[in-house]
Amino acid sequence: MTLETILPPERVLFDVPGGSKKRVLEFFSTFIAQNTPSLDSQEVFSRLIGRERLGSTGIGNGVAIPHARSPHCATPIAGFLKLSEPVDFDAIDGDPVDLVFVLLVPEEADDTHLSLLGQVATIMNDASTRQALRKTNSQRELVDLLMSKIREQATT
C-alpha cells in the first residue's frame, strides 16, 4: 500500500486556518467525517488527541504527522494540510508547524501503519520538499507537487 492510493487530491488541503493544534485536529476530524460516512468526527478527534497525549507528532522542521487507529476505518486514510499560519504543535524542535500529514488506519493495522508512516517521514524529512510545499500558491500546485514527491519516493 502506498500513500498515493490513500491520499486522493480532494484530501490535500491548501491554506487551512490553523489557530492551535486542537483546532487543526478538529478541522481535519470534521472534514474527514463529512467525506467518509463510517467515521464520526468526535471519535476521530478523540483518537488523534489521545495519540498527541502520548507525545507530540510534531517531527520537527514545521511538520506534524498526527496519526491514530480507528475501528471504523476499513482501510488507511490520509490527508495533507498546508496551514495558512504555523501553529504550536509541541514539536520536538519547538518550531511551529505548517505542514500536517494526517494518517488514520484500521484498528488491526500492523506493518501497513508503520510502512505508511515511514513513507510520510521520508518525504517530509527532505528540506527541499518542505520548502517547495511551502512555496505552492494553490491547491492544484500543492496536489501536483505532493503527488510527484510521493511517486518519487515510491520508486526509491
Side-chain angles (χ1 to χ4, degrees):
M1 178 159 298
T2 66
L3 288 174
E4 190 173 6
T5 60
I6 66 167
L7 182 64
E10 61 271 15
R11 285 204 300 258
V12 176
L13 305 176
F14 177 81
D15 212 20
V16 173
S20 68
K21 178 196 319 196
K22 184 178 177 221
R23 279 207 190 109
V24 169
L25 296 177
E26 281 175 335
F27 173 89
F28 177 79
S29 300
T30 301
F31 170 79
I32 202 65
Q34 288 170 344
N35 293 282
T36 313
S38 66
L39 296 178
D40 173 71
S41 65
Q42 287 304 314
E43 193 253 346
V44 170
F45 176 71
S46 157
R47 287 180 178 271
L48 289 171
I49 283 290
R51 171 57 189 85
E52 288 299 319
R53 285 191 189 111
L54 298 175
S56 176
T57 56
I59 63 169
N61 298 304
V63 175
I65 311 174
H67 54 280
R69 295 175 184 271
S70 169
H72 306 293
C73 193
T75 60
I77 294 172
F80 183 83
L81 295 77
K82 179 185 173 195
L83 304 181
S84 55
E85 295 290 324
V87 299
D88 180 12
F89 224 86
D90 304 312
I92 56 172
D93 61 1
D95 287 350
V97 162
D98 62 343
L99 301 174
V100 182
F101 215 120
V102 189
L103 194 58
L104 295 175
V105 296
E107 194 79 71
E108 65 285 346
D110 45 18
D111 296 345
T112 303
H113 181 202
L114 298 175
S115 168
L116 291 167
L117 281 172
Q119 290 174 50
V120 173
T122 299
I123 292 163
M124 301 312 290
N125 278 332
D126 182 66
S128 63
T129 297
R130 290 190 309 271
Q131 185 178 22
L133 289 168
R134 289 185 174 112
K135 286 183 178 177
T136 58
N137 293 309
S138 70
Q139 200 258 352
R140 180 81 256 151
E141 206 179 311
L142 184 62
V143 168
D144 291 347
L145 176 65
L146 189 57
M147 290 305 154
S148 78
K149 294 298 179 180
I150 286 171
R151 285 183 203 112
E152 238 172 70
Q153 187 269 335
T155 61
T156 55

